[in-house]
């Protein structure tokens, strides 16, 4: 549809202020995609106080809530988590946790449209009284310019930085150190495979209110000999981590659409994931799945010892990478923002005619 002006979009986010959060990675990728790929259609502002046609809130900060409440134009909000997915992430007093959940639901209800990164969560949001017509599925996206395969010599040099030998089989996990991320399972699987190197990239982004903090802290400070916790890795260095790795292992109990998956598949790294329903529609079963630690260990052992099996799993990851291409995701954003703007103009015309 032809537009006589650029649509002004004000992106509201504090996600990039804390390293090691997938929400921050998703925010940066989405903003860069729209700014670079659709500059002829949109003017993108960041946390601006100026008037905009569309406010797009990436995080649930109170100041973003107030801006949406007072906004006379269109409000769009990302759903990076559901209230129930907070269980296993943070520890708060029960009464305070209940208040926070209600705040999250109220925040989502304030938006004209909710962006979900996994269609399975539309049904969950409906349970909170949010109409499905307000929801749209737009997948996350990761730049192939930022996440790509490096030459073997560079890969070996990266391994050397982390004290890892060139011929070791390396399994990585990525995410905050939380109970729901399956960090304890990650370590237990490592104990079953002493000849494999395990590296968990992430830290305690929520500090001491992290669910299971004391138990997790003991494990991080005293890991098994074949396990490393290098802490929070800056996103600018994460491509090195994926190059260093042979496999991405994510035993999370609850997720939306982990950015680590999209990052790793760009390098065609095989994935071992927990058998969660939420992955089925977005990853097309192009990954290795299990429900218990013995089975996880067996899958990783097979990837280590069977080159033909490894090659098939790497090809599965390549398939996912191609599906979530820049062109495909960008076209969805163009159509969505344009439609939201046109609907806003129709509402304004309707009000002026009353």
């Amino acid at each position: 549809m032809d537009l006589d002006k650029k649509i002004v979009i004000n992106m509201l986010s504090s996600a990039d202020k804390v390293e090691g959060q997938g929400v921050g990675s998703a925010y940066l990728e989405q903003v860069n995609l729209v700014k670079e790929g659709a500059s002829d259609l949109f003017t993108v502002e960041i946390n601006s106080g100026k008037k905009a046609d569309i406010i797009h809130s990436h995080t649930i900060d109170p100041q973003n809530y107030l801006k949406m409440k007072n906004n006379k134009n269109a409000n769009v909000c990302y759903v990076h988590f559901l209230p129930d997915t907070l269980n296993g992430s943070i520890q708060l007093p029960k009464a305070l946790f209940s208040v926070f959940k209600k705040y999250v639901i109220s925040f989502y209800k304030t938006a004209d449209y909710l962006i979900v990164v996994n269609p399975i969560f539309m049904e969950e949001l409906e349970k909170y009284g949010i109409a499905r017509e307000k929801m749209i599925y737009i997948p996350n996206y990761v730049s192939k310019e930022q996440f790509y395969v490096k030459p073997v010599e560079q890969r070996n040099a990266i391994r050397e930085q982390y004290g890892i030998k060139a011929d070791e089989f390396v399994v990585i996990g990525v995410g905050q150190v939380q109970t729901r991320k399956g960090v304890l399972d990650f370590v237990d699987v490592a104990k079953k495979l002493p000849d494999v190197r395990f590296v968990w990239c992430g830290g305690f982004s929520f500090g001491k209110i992290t669910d299971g903090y004391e138990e997790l802290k003991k494990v991080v400070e005293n890991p098994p000999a074949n396990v490393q916790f290098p802490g929070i890795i800056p996103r600018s260095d994460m491509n090195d981590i994926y190059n260093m790795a042979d496999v991405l292992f994510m035993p999370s109990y609850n997720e939306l659409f982990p950015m680590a998956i999209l990052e790793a598949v760009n390098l065609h790294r095989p994935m071992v994931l927990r058998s969660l329903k939420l992955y089925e529609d977005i990853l097309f079963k192009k990954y290795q799945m299990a429900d218990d630690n013995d089975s996880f260990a067996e899958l990783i052992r097979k990837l280590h010892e069977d080159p033909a099996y490894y090659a098939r799993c790497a090809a599965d990851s390549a398939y996912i990478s191609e599906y979530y291409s820049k062109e495909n995701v960008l076209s969805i954003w163009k159509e969505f923002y344009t439609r939201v703007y046109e609907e806003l103009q129709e509402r304004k015309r309707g009000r002026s005619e009353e």
Side-chain angles (χ1 to χ4, degrees):
M1 185 176 293
D2 293 331
L3 298 170
D4 57 4
K5 65 179 278 296
K6 285 188 181 183
I7 300 170
V8 180
I9 306 167
N10 187 13
M11 305 286 192
L12 304 181
S13 178
S14 60
D16 56 336
K17 291 181 180 178
V18 180
E19 287 279 11
Q21 288 188 305
V23 175
S25 301
Y27 158 68
L28 293 171
E29 289 283 9
Q30 194 269 343
V31 169
N32 289 335
L33 179 67
V34 174
K35 284 180 73 173
E36 295 171 8
S39 59
D40 58 325
L41 293 175
F42 312 124
T43 297
V44 176
E45 304 283 350
I46 307 294
N47 294 322
S48 173
K50 300 175 184 176
K51 185 178 178 181
D53 299 305
I54 300 171
I55 282 181
H56 184 163
S57 186
H58 291 254
T59 51
I60 59 166
D61 309 71
Q63 63 268 28
N64 297 352
Y65 183 62
L66 291 173
K67 282 185 179 180
M68 291 203 304
K69 280 285 190 183
N70 295 323
N71 183 32
K72 298 271 193 288
N73 291 332
N75 290 320
V76 172
C77 179
Y78 247 131
V79 176
H80 286 295
F81 63 89
L82 300 174
D84 287 344
T85 62
L86 294 169
N87 298 323
S89 294
I90 56 175
Q91 281 185 321
L92 291 173
K94 193 171 181 180
L96 185 57
F97 198 53
S98 177
V99 170
F100 183 61
K101 280 188 174 184
K102 288 177 181 177
Y103 166 75
V104 172
I105 295 164
S106 178
F107 195 105
Y108 290 161
K109 287 183 174 180
T110 301
D112 298 301
Y113 279 101
L114 294 178
I115 309 296
V116 297
V117 297
N118 191 322
I120 198 172
F121 291 100
M122 290 183 178
E123 186 175 331
E124 293 298 314
L125 287 166
E126 280 187 301
K127 293 177 183 177
Y128 298 112
I130 298 171
R132 187 171 286 238
E133 304 84 72
K134 290 180 60 171
M135 307 173 210
I136 181 169
Y137 163 56
I138 304 180
N140 284 332
Y141 156 80
V142 168
S143 167
K144 288 181 173 60
E145 284 74 44
Q146 283 188 278
F147 293 92
Y148 58 92
V149 176
K150 291 187 172 184
V152 175
E153 305 77 39
Q154 292 183 32
R155 167 192 168 111
N156 292 342
I158 296 163
R159 287 187 167 204
E160 189 176 352
Q161 290 175 22
Y162 287 89
I164 297 171
K165 296 175 184 175
D167 62 349
E168 286 189 85
F169 193 79
V170 179
V171 174
I172 64 163
V174 180
Q176 297 176 50
V177 177
Q178 297 175 351
T179 300
R180 77 172 177 92
K181 292 288 186 180
V183 177
L184 297 176
D185 298 274
F186 185 86
V187 173
D188 186 55
V189 172
K191 291 177 181 177
K192 299 175 187 297
L193 299 168
D195 58 334
V196 174
R197 175 73 65 173
F198 286 74
V199 182
W200 186 276
C201 303
F204 294 99
S205 296
F206 291 136
K208 291 184 178 181
I209 66 168
T210 299
D211 189 38
Y213 175 76
E214 292 301 329
E215 183 180 12
L216 290 166
K217 189 167 183 287
K218 288 177 184 177
V219 172
V220 169
E221 291 178 350
N222 298 284
N226 64 327
V227 179
Q228 293 174 226
F229 286 93
I232 295 173
I233 307 293
R235 190 153 195 265
S236 57
D237 294 337
M238 279 305 298
N239 189 48
D240 285 350
I241 297 295
Y242 295 117
N243 272 279
M244 178 178 79
D246 293 293
V247 172
L248 176 70
F249 173 33
M250 303 277 280
S252 304
Y253 288 89
N254 209 322
E255 290 287 357
L256 288 183
F257 195 150
M259 292 298 286
I261 287 176
L262 290 181
E263 293 163 357
V265 297
N266 272 5
L267 285 76
H268 304 173
R269 296 300 187 248
M271 296 184 296
V272 176
L273 309 175
R274 193 173 297 280
S275 181
L276 302 178
K277 184 173 174 54
L278 61 93
Y279 289 138
E280 292 178 5
D281 291 337
I282 59 174
L283 300 178
F284 327 112
K285 296 188 177 178
K286 298 286 188 179
Y287 52 96
Q288 308 316 301
M289 67 189 87
D291 289 306
D292 60 84
N293 293 348
D294 286 337
S295 300
F296 283 136
E298 188 53 41
L299 287 173
I300 293 169
R301 182 181 289 110
K302 190 174 181 182
L303 285 165
H304 183 199
E305 298 174 356
D306 187 339
Y309 177 68
Y310 184 94
R312 289 198 301 274
C313 296
D316 284 343
S317 289
Y319 176 91
I320 296 170
S321 177
E322 288 309 309
Y323 182 86
Y324 292 109
S325 68
K326 177 179 183 177
E327 294 74 21
N328 183 34
V329 178
L330 178 60
S331 68
I332 298 172
W333 280 113
K334 285 181 177 179
E335 189 279 331
F336 171 69
Y337 282 137
T338 303
R339 176 160 58 88
V340 170
Y341 176 76
E342 289 298 328
E343 288 175 359
L344 172 66
Q345 300 313 304
E346 287 178 16
R347 290 201 302 272
K348 287 183 174 180
R349 285 193 290 270
R351 287 196 294 266
S352 66
E353 292 171 1
E354 289 177 355

